[in-house]
């Protein structure tokens, strides 16, 4: 079962979910070679050009449990993760907050966008040299990965972004939280598209209203 922490680990691309700091993850900044810096620049250029996109994802948590769903991105600020049934989870960023709704558990929670890893993807200007520390750059069989941490410590842990190069595209990410638990998200499709209706990035609290709660 996917937990709310797993989601924020995703969205906390989200996985940058708030958690206690861990010395093991307090990695020193990498001294990037010119080749590594070129890959970082290439990734930033790609992400900056990804304004609106829709795709499918497979998320695997630390217990090796997988869930699937549909992802909608509209930069700056907005994203929606719809999990397939039987999961009742929906995660939406409206530009200011990330809301997590579980229709099965009848829960609804909100977190400031800036405290989740999603802030990295959804920023108006994507920067991997301001507020974010590149910990390492690694070559993959058909691409490369970039691992980064938030130097402002508003989010704890690390995020590793995986890219293919032919063609250049984001193929997934891994969020490692401050406790060392990893949540992997693999994008099976992610294609640019047109703008989405505003309702795509709105999520209403489904719980009955009670006294004192708006």
């Amino acid at each position: 079962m996917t937990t709310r922490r797993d989601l924020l680990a995703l969205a906390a691309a989200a996985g940058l979910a708030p958690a206690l700091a861990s010395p093991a993850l307090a990695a020193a900044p990498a001294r990037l070679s010119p080749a590594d810096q070129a890959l970082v620049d290439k990734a930033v250029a790609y992400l900056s050009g990804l304004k609106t996109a829709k795709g499918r994802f497979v998320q695997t948590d630390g217990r090796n449990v997988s869930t699937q769903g549909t992802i909608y991105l509209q930069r700056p600020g907005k994203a929606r993760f719809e999990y397939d049934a039987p999961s009742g989870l929906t995660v939406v960023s409206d530009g200011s907050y990330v809301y997590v709704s579980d229709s099965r558990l009848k829960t609804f929670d909100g977190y400031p966008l800036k405290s989740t890893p999603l802030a990295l993807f959804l920023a108006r200007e994507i920067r991997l040299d301001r507020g974010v520390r590149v910990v390492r750059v690694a070559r993959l069989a058909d691409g490369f990965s970039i691992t980064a941490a938030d130097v402002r410590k508003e989010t704890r842990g690390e995020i590793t972004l995986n890219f293919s190069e032919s063609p250049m595209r984001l193929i997934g990410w891994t969020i490692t939280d401050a406790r060392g638990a990893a949540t992997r998200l693999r994008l099976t499709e992610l294609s640019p598209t047109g703008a989405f209706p505003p309702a795509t990035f709105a999520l209403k609290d489904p719980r009955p209203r009670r006294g004192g709660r708006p």
Side-chain angles (χ1 to χ4, degrees):
M1 177 181 174
T2 301
T3 66
R4 211 165 305 145
R5 179 174 296 282
D6 295 329
L7 287 173
L8 287 180
L10 173 160
L16 307 185
L20 297 176
S22 168
L25 293 178
R31 293 185 177 180
L32 299 181
S33 68
D36 288 348
Q37 185 60 57
L39 291 178
V40 171
D41 293 344
K42 188 174 183 178
V44 169
Y46 166 80
L47 292 173
S48 297
L50 193 63
K51 302 299 185 185
T52 57
K54 179 180 178 181
R56 295 281 297 170
F57 67 85
V58 178
Q59 180 181 314
T60 304
D61 65 20
R63 293 152 299 180
N64 211 32
V65 175
S66 294
T67 50
Q68 302 182 46
T70 302
I71 180 174
Y72 305 79
L73 292 177
Q74 185 166 302
R75 295 185 45 252
K78 297 177 179 176
R80 183 184 185 96
F81 298 85
E82 283 186 352
Y83 288 75
D84 292 349
S87 172
L89 288 168
T90 304
V91 179
V92 168
S93 170
D94 66 0
S96 299
Y97 281 82
V98 177
Y99 296 103
V100 181
S101 175
D102 189 324
S103 61
R104 293 196 305 173
L105 298 179
K106 301 188 184 308
T107 58
F108 187 86
D109 298 282
Y111 306 85
L113 172 60
K114 66 180 182 180
S115 69
T116 77
L118 275 180
L120 175 65
F121 289 116
L122 301 180
R124 183 175 300 278
E125 181 184 14
I126 293 178
R127 300 288 298 262
L128 292 180
D129 61 350
R130 182 187 301 168
V132 175
R133 180 181 58 208
V134 175
V135 177
R136 57 185 170 274
V137 178
R139 284 282 182 179
L140 305 176
D142 58 349
F144 63 93
S145 68
I146 297 172
T147 298
D150 180 3
V151 298
R152 298 163 302 184
K153 299 183 179 180
E154 291 181 350
T155 59
R156 306 299 175 90
E158 296 178 348
I159 180 171
T160 298
L161 305 172
N162 299 320
F163 298 90
S164 66
E165 288 194 280
S166 299
M168 176 69 191
R169 67 185 182 92
L170 178 67
I171 57 175
W173 58 81
T174 298
I175 300 296
T176 304
D177 69 18
R179 297 175 177 83
T183 298
R184 302 187 303 277
L185 186 141
R186 178 169 57 89
L187 294 168
T188 56
E189 303 170 28
L190 186 65
S191 301
T193 185
F196 298 107
T200 304
F201 306 106
L203 192 61
K204 294 183 178 179
D205 187 343
R207 299 171 299 176
R209 291 192 175 189
R210 295 178 180 175
R213 184 168 65 78

